[in-house]
Amino acid sequence: MDEVKWFFRQAGKEFLNTAGDDKDAICTNINEIFIKKEADIKRILPSIKNIRVLGDKPLGSHRPHTDIQYFETIRQQCLENGSLFEDPLFTASNESLMFSKRPDRCIQWLRPHEIADDPQFFVEGYSRFDVQQGELGDCWLLAAAANLTQYSNLFFRVVPQDQSFEKDYAGVFHFRFWQYGKWIDVVVDDRLPTYNGRLIYMHSREKNEFWSVLLEKAYAKLHGSYEALKGGFTCEAMVDFTGGVTEWYDLVEASSNLFNILAKAAERNSMMGCCLEGDPNVLDAKTPEGLIRGHAYSITKVCMINNVMPNRQGNIPMIRIRNPWGNEAEWNGPWSDSSPEWSDISDEKKHEIGLNFDGDGEFWMSFQDFLNHFDRVEICNLCPDSLTESQQNDGKRKWQMTMFEGEWTAGVTAGGCGKFLDTFWHNPQYVISLEDPDEEDDDDKCTVIVALMQKISCAKRNIGMECLSIGFAVYHLNERDMQTRPLGLEFFKNKAMVARSPHFINTRDVTARFRLPPGHYLVIPSTFDPNEEGEFIIRFFSETQNKMENVS
């Protein structure tokens, strides 16, 4: 992922202290374990000032009518006037390209019919191979978009089918993204940045196909400019495409059950990506094995492959990966295209996994080689609300999810982290009750994912603004603790955490997965320092049914 240095070294680790059942006796110095880290990449989070939340009424005291853009209304008006839409909120200008400088050449904004003959929204459907990277360092976005194409129902939620270059064409298109708990509709015109008549950013391998180009433009509008997409996190885009929740795993410190985690994620329709740490001295440095440093890839399949050779029988854990460049820049080690290892695999299995040796950026690796050569993997777990009815009934496992919205208010609910013990208990408090251990696991524990997302208000959203440093702590509750709502200062003086977020860090999302015995747990989301104000969403995912409540 461009210009990103990895952090969250502890992400995905199990923080439960297993030193016995008497959790009250496990006390550590809480003031020494809350760590504040800075993200090396300063993300410009999107404002929803100029886009409509689906279902909202057009008028409001805080939102001018001129800021509301309805796709159908705009298209009808343009058709009646015989004009093509020109978006006043994301103009064909340098300001929409960059916020920190001017372009180094003359960029011309052209409509698709000025770029290619017979422009089409889709050419023979859509696929991950329609997503090709241009000059913009947004491979993280492309990796997520390529993943999205593998789930038709999710894809058409983001890319509505009610638009084309033939029927009712008026130069206006729209796309939908999940933002802070709601789906929003982003309207764009189809004027695209070009140089010498060629697209400079995302494009399709089919010269006259434009769905992916326009998707990138809508996402750039959401963030304020194309430049705002330079350098980012695949998991962030996957959340915006699905409403799911993400996890990050450092492969240098990968847990022994990581392949099982990835396989379970695939069973739940999860979207996945991976990346290599960048070379600070060389942009897009290439490893001897053909991988690109500082680059985001999408994971398109996780499975076991049976080796049929008599002297090598057994199942091999394998991963299929795609480079969003969509070209010959592929892995050249074992199990790469046309490598001799594939001769040991039956033709039936090759057909089952869709094996091909095209120079399309997609390749296979053994899981061990994956661990040895990549640095991080990202998983976007889909919540029930992210799934369509057909996906909910497809027989695959589903996460159980509960969501709450809250806020930190100075002097009231903004208590800071546990280093500030006298005010820490003022923070919002949530109790999760885990009743049944995970199915098919023999350790009698429950998997739970806690995901904290901070909102950025329109008034505070300025270029270069940093997010608050956020995180959370988890405590075990006995039956006596459950009688007190909310828990006060004395509880936190005498209780140790059993789990926590890896760090307090200034990113939009902070997520961690835990394995906890059945029981009651208190979750405290907070900013690092007291009296920092903000709004947040906190979500809880578990494999089995859970019960959540706000006890603040």
Side-chain angles (χ1 to χ4, degrees):
M1 185 172 306
D2 300 12
E3 302 179 357
V4 176
K5 295 182 183 300
W6 311 130
F7 49 90
F8 275 8
R9 286 286 180 184
Q10 303 300 316
K13 284 192 170 184
E14 182 177 324
F15 291 97
L16 179 64
N17 191 325
T18 56
D21 293 329
D22 185 6
K23 300 298 186 297
D24 291 346
I26 307 171
C27 294
T28 59
N29 186 350
I30 196 170
N31 295 324
E32 295 179 356
I33 55 180
F34 288 93
I35 302 170
K36 184 178 183 181
K37 287 182 68 71
E38 289 237 351
D40 289 326
I41 189 167
K42 298 296 188 287
R43 294 291 294 125
I44 298 176
L45 298 185
S47 162
I48 59 174
K49 177 180 179 181
N50 294 327
I51 45 186
R52 180 177 66 89
V53 176
L54 293 181
D56 271 5
K57 295 181 179 179
L59 294 177
S61 58
H62 67 288
R63 184 181 293 170
H65 179 67
T66 54
D67 282 350
I68 305 300
Q69 294 183 306
Y70 292 92
F71 168 72
E72 293 180 0
T73 300
I74 291 172
R75 181 168 63 178
Q76 186 60 38
Q77 289 174 345
C78 289
L79 290 172
E80 291 174 356
N81 297 334
S83 61
L84 296 180
F85 178 56
E86 295 185 2
D87 188 359
L89 301 182
F90 197 64
T91 58
S93 64
N94 290 339
E95 288 71 24
S96 296
L97 291 174
M98 299 179 177
F99 61 82
S100 67
K101 57 184 179 181
R102 295 181 61 84
D104 59 359
R105 58 200 140 150
C106 182
I107 301 300
Q108 187 177 15
W109 295 76
L110 301 177
R111 295 190 188 268
H113 64 266
E114 299 173 305
I115 300 171
D117 296 331
D118 187 29
Q120 303 287 319
F121 197 60
F122 298 116
V123 174
E124 296 182 356
Y126 59 92
S127 78
R128 58 190 180 278
F129 303 110
D130 300 339
V131 181
Q132 312 279 328
Q133 189 171 0
E135 298 179 16
L136 188 62
D138 62 347
C139 56
W140 58 281
L141 171 62
L142 276 71
N147 261 333
L148 183 67
T149 63
Q150 298 186 93
Y151 306 95
S152 61
N153 293 319
L154 291 174
F155 179 82
F156 286 121
R157 176 180 287 173
V158 176
V159 186
Q161 300 183 70
D162 59 347
Q163 49 195 339
S164 75
F165 287 95
E166 295 84 28
K167 182 181 178 181
D168 295 334
Y169 169 70
V172 59
F173 293 84
H174 68 135
F175 300 84
R176 293 169 182 152
F177 305 107
W178 189 91
Q179 290 285 288
Y180 312 127
K182 295 182 176 67
W183 286 92
I184 58 176
D185 202 54
V186 182
V187 173
V188 293
D189 64 36
D190 62 352
R191 295 176 295 175
L192 301 167
T194 68
Y195 181 68
N196 288 336
R198 297 175 63 89
L199 293 166
I200 61 174
Y201 296 143
M202 188 190 295
H203 54 277
S204 171
R205 64 179 176 181
E206 302 291 342
K207 302 302 182 184
N208 64 329
E209 183 174 53
F210 287 92
W211 74 262
S212 59
V213 190
L214 293 165
L215 172 70
E216 182 187 49
K217 180 173 184 177
Y219 203 64
K221 178 180 178 178
L222 183 68
H223 286 77
S225 70
Y226 279 94
E227 185 187 357
L229 305 184
K230 184 180 180 181
F233 305 102
T234 299
C235 58
E236 182 179 309
M238 290 192 293
V239 169
D240 293 342
F241 289 161
T242 66
V245 67
T246 59
E247 304 173 78
W248 300 357
Y249 290 94
D250 187 335
L251 298 183
V252 176
E253 303 173 354
S255 62
S256 59
N257 68 333
L258 181 58
F259 184 81
N260 185 49
I261 290 174
L262 298 181
K264 279 190 172 185
E267 290 179 1
R268 291 180 169 85
N269 295 299
S270 299
M271 299 170 63
M272 292 176 278
C274 55
C275 41
L276 290 78
E277 189 167 349
D279 185 332
N281 302 311
V282 182
L283 180 64
D284 294 334
K286 193 173 184 178
T287 71
E289 297 79 18
L291 302 176
I292 309 301
R293 293 198 172 277
H295 192 54
Y297 294 75
S298 54
I299 295 175
T300 58
K301 198 173 186 65
V302 180
C303 66
M304 302 291 290
I305 294 182
N306 184 39
N307 193 317
V308 299
M309 293 297 289
N311 60 336
R312 297 182 185 175
Q313 288 185 349
N315 289 325
I316 305 169
M318 299 282 289
I319 289 188
R320 189 176 68 192
I321 298 168
R322 182 177 182 272
N323 181 347
W325 289 353
N327 57 19
E328 295 80 8
E330 299 179 4
W331 163 255
N332 59 33
W335 300 101
S336 59
D337 286 5
S338 301
S339 68
E341 287 82 6
W342 289 109
S343 62
D344 297 344
I345 305 303
S346 68
D347 291 339
E348 180 182 2
K349 188 63 178 180
K350 292 177 185 176
H351 178 74
E352 178 186 331
I353 64 175
L355 182 67
N356 71 73
F357 297 142
D358 297 337
D360 53 13
E362 192 166 64
F363 54 88
W364 286 86
M365 298 178 76
S366 71
F367 183 65
Q368 189 57 55
D369 280 335
F370 173 71
L371 294 178
N372 292 340
H373 291 276
F374 280 87
D375 292 301
R376 187 173 72 170
V377 64
E378 303 172 356
I379 304 172
C380 180
N381 301 290
L382 302 184
C383 61
D385 290 343
S386 303
L387 302 176
T388 62
E389 184 177 349
S390 62
Q391 285 177 309
Q392 292 177 11
N393 297 324
D394 64 5
K396 291 190 175 183
R397 296 182 178 184
K398 312 295 185 301
W399 287 103
Q400 303 294 321
M401 190 273 289
T402 307
M403 182 181 82
F404 290 96
E405 296 186 64
E407 60 182 322
W408 298 294
T409 303
V412 183
T413 58
C417 72
K419 293 175 71 73
F420 308 95
L421 199 55
D422 288 342
T423 57
F424 180 63
W425 66 278
H426 294 165
N427 286 300
Q429 300 184 11
Y430 302 89
V431 170
I432 180 169
S433 298
L434 303 174
E435 299 177 358
D436 299 318
D438 297 345
E439 298 178 5
E440 300 178 10
D441 291 329
D442 56 7
D443 60 0
D444 293 327
K445 291 185 179 179
C446 307
T447 297
V448 61
I449 299 173
V450 181
L452 178 62
M453 171 187 287
Q454 61 180 306
K455 299 181 182 181
I456 298 296
S457 68
C458 300
K460 292 182 178 179
R461 193 266 184 182
N462 294 305
I463 297 302
M465 174 187 173
E466 294 184 14
C467 300
L468 299 172
S469 292
I470 61 172
F472 54 83
V474 182
Y475 298 82
H476 179 262
L477 300 177
N478 57 36
E479 293 300 326
R480 183 178 60 185
D481 299 327
M482 289 289 290
Q483 306 306 312
T484 304
R485 307 294 177 90
L487 278 303
L489 177 61
E490 288 304 312
F491 172 86
F492 296 102
K493 283 183 176 179
N494 297 297
K495 275 290 185 86
M497 294 183 302
V498 296
R500 60 176 172 86
S501 57
H503 307 291
F504 278 74
I505 192 162
N506 56 331
T507 55
R508 185 185 74 172
D509 305 270
V510 174
T511 305
R513 172 189 293 240
F514 310 111
R515 298 277 294 157
L516 302 171
H520 306 291
Y521 296 90
L522 178 70
V523 182
I524 308 291
S526 73
T527 60
F528 186 82
D529 294 309
N531 296 320
E532 291 186 317
E533 295 193 321
E535 295 179 279
F536 64 85
I537 292 173
I538 189 165
R539 293 186 287 170
F540 303 89
F541 284 62
S542 61
E543 290 194 7
T544 57
Q545 192 66 43
N546 68 67
K547 180 182 178 182
M548 282 295 312
E549 55 183 324
N550 183 347
V551 298
S552 300

